[in-house]
Amino acid sequence: MKNIVGLFTLLLLWSCGNKKNTTENKVMQTSENVLTLSDEQLKAFTLTTVELEERNVTNTLKLSGMVDVAPQNLVSVSSALGGYVKSTRLLPGMYFRKGEVIALLEDKQFIELQQDYLTAKVQLQNLEAEYNRQKQLNESQASSDKAHLQAKANYETLLISKKALEEKLRLIHINPASISVSNIKPTVAIYAPFSGFVSKVLVNSGKYVSPTDALFELVDPHDLHLKLKVFEKDWDKLKVGQTLRAYTNSYPEKKYPAEMMLISKNITPDRAVEAYARFKGADESLIPGLYMNAEIRIPESKAPALPEESIVSFEGDNYVFEVLDKRTFRMKAVETGNTGDGWVEILSGAEPGRKKIVSKGAYTLLMALKNTAED
């Protein structure tokens, strides 16, 4: 606001000077980028000056990327045995808890498997009794070794079959100890292996699925990370362990802290590398594929610098105003580097300690110079 008031006052004085045809209030452009003010016009400005000096400049590197999930945290859920989907309530994006029933399958093979197990259990009791009887007879030499060995083989073979059937039942989440003649069930439940949210639903009620078919894609949000695109010129500024803050375009005020965990060594065709950062505190609003921005503070470096208010931009280039004398100022092009903590690194165009540089009021001088050039 102060710059605008100063500019308005300058233009008013310049106008009055033209009307009175005096040199007292005249603004004179002595060369293309030099502005000379009268004493009266100078009083209308609030100008301060600085010198280019060596300072510690902290740069903030801005990157973009998207939320990603490690392969081990993106889980495809299937059934150990095929069956028809009886019901499911899951929808993409829905949150679920570990151990929750996420689908029911039904098929006659579930009934047959329970039937085979109960049958083997009953038969095993008879074979065990026969084996013990033959063992006793053999010890008293009342039966041959062959009969004893055959009884033992029959018993152990059925015992193996029973154990195998128990493991098959556990694969489809049926506890063998809970099965009886009165509670054979035609359905089996699919349980959530962890707490997370649904990425994809690949089935619908009534669909037949085989053991090779995925029913759902589930995401474990405890190890979400941010995949960032880093251009070649900034690659050497990143280090594993650096902290950063990420935010979405929708809610830039909400910052998510993260830590750099991996930096790729391969450069893509567009001259960039991929870097990965692990979130320190993710919530349900972060989902794979979500675009995010990130800010990384680069360690301080000593460099010639000027205050940010000393730098003015015009037609895509950066300039400063050198003080030639009390009333004369020259606009000079400069090349800038890192920016941080209110200071801008000067790469070229100005030399330390050589000239006074306008800090406060630089933009007002730019407006006055360009308005004078147009008249």
Side-chain angles (χ1 to χ4, degrees):
M1 181 61 74
K2 291 180 179 179
N3 287 341
I4 296 175
V5 172
L7 175 59
F8 177 77
T9 306
L10 171 66
L11 296 178
L12 180 61
L13 291 172
W14 179 81
S15 176
C16 293
N18 277 348
K19 291 180 180 179
K20 294 179 180 180
N21 196 25
T22 66
T23 59
E24 183 182 4
N25 294 327
K26 186 177 180 182
V27 178
M28 180 173 57
Q29 186 181 9
T30 58
S31 66
E32 182 179 358
N33 288 324
V34 174
L35 179 69
T36 301
L37 303 176
S38 69
D39 291 337
E40 289 297 321
Q41 292 163 341
L42 195 59
K43 291 178 182 178
F45 282 78
T46 302
L47 300 178
T48 59
T49 61
V50 296
E51 292 183 0
L52 186 67
E53 59 179 290
E54 293 282 332
R55 291 189 63 93
N56 287 325
V57 179
T58 301
N59 181 32
T60 299
L61 181 62
K62 295 185 177 181
L63 304 173
S64 61
M66 67 171 61
V67 178
D68 200 4
V69 62
Q72 62 268 26
N73 291 87
L74 183 62
V75 179
S76 295
V77 176
S78 58
S79 174
L81 297 178
Y84 293 91
V85 179
K86 184 176 182 180
S87 65
T88 179
R89 66 174 191 84
L90 294 190
L91 294 172
M94 181 179 291
Y95 187 80
F96 58 85
R97 297 190 178 278
K98 182 178 180 179
E100 182 180 336
V101 176
I102 56 178
L104 285 176
L105 299 184
E106 63 179 358
D107 196 85
K108 66 177 184 178
Q109 66 176 319
F110 303 146
I111 301 174
E112 292 170 352
L113 183 58
Q114 295 170 81
Q115 177 187 354
D116 292 343
Y117 172 74
L118 291 175
T119 302
K121 188 176 180 181
V122 172
Q123 290 177 346
L124 188 63
Q125 293 174 352
N126 294 331
L127 289 179
E128 184 179 13
E130 177 62 17
Y131 166 63
N132 290 330
R133 189 178 73 84
Q134 289 294 335
K135 183 179 180 181
Q136 292 175 357
L137 291 174
N138 183 259
E139 290 174 350
S140 63
Q141 297 184 349
S143 68
S144 65
D145 291 340
K146 181 178 180 181
H148 170 245
L149 293 175
Q150 183 63 49
K152 181 180 179 182
N154 292 338
Y155 168 70
E156 291 182 347
T157 299
L158 193 57
L159 181 62
I160 293 172
S161 297
K162 176 177 175 289
K163 291 292 184 181
L165 289 169
E166 287 179 353
E167 295 304 317
K168 286 183 179 180
L169 289 169
R170 290 189 179 97
L171 280 177
I172 57 175
H173 307 291
I174 295 179
N175 183 3
S178 67
I179 300 176
S180 65
V181 176
S182 60
N183 71 343
I184 294 177
K185 299 177 181 179
T187 62
V188 297
I190 305 295
Y191 298 94
F194 52 81
S195 296
F197 58 87
V198 183
S199 175
K200 294 180 182 178
V201 176
L202 305 172
V203 295
N204 54 269
S205 295
K207 181 178 180 179
Y208 180 82
V209 292
S210 67
T212 59
D213 294 331
L215 284 69
F216 311 101
E217 251 185 29
L218 307 180
V219 175
D220 183 353
H222 293 96
D223 197 24
L224 288 178
H225 60 260
L226 182 61
K227 182 168 70 174
L228 297 166
K229 183 178 182 180
V230 185
F231 287 105
E232 183 180 10
K233 64 182 181 65
D234 297 320
W235 175 78
D236 60 343
K237 298 176 183 177
L238 300 183
K239 299 289 184 293
V240 173
Q242 278 178 317
T243 58
L244 57 93
R245 296 188 305 167
Y247 56 92
T248 64
N249 292 327
S250 302
Y251 300 99
E253 68 282 356
K254 185 174 183 180
K255 309 294 185 183
Y256 294 89
E259 180 178 312
M260 193 66 65
M261 67 175 185
L262 178 66
I263 303 171
S264 173
K265 305 299 182 182
N266 296 323
I267 299 179
T268 61
D270 58 349
R271 311 309 299 171
V273 298
E274 291 181 345
Y276 298 86
R278 179 180 290 110
F279 288 105
K280 293 184 177 179
D283 56 32
E284 295 178 22
S285 64
L286 297 183
I287 59 175
L290 179 68
Y291 283 98
M292 298 192 77
N293 301 306
E295 295 178 350
I296 305 176
R297 290 178 66 86
I298 305 302
E300 291 183 348
S301 60
K302 199 92 171 171
L306 288 170
E308 286 185 354
E309 59 183 351
S310 296
I311 313 300
V312 294
S313 297
F314 181 72
E315 294 182 347
D317 295 316
N318 294 320
Y319 298 90
V320 297
F321 277 92
E322 288 184 346
V323 180
L324 300 181
D325 58 41
K326 180 181 178 182
R327 297 186 297 110
T328 308
F329 309 89
R330 178 172 61 192
M331 188 173 78
K332 189 174 184 180
V334 293
E335 183 182 356
T336 60
N338 296 333
T339 300
D341 300 330
W343 290 80
V344 180
E345 179 185 4
I346 304 300
L347 301 177
S348 64
E351 299 180 15
R354 292 298 181 89
K355 292 285 185 179
K356 293 285 187 181
I357 305 295
V358 176
S359 54
K360 188 175 183 179
Y363 184 76
T364 308
L365 290 179
L366 174 66
M367 294 295 98
L369 177 63
K370 296 308 172 184
N371 277 302
T372 303
E374 293 173 358
D375 292 339

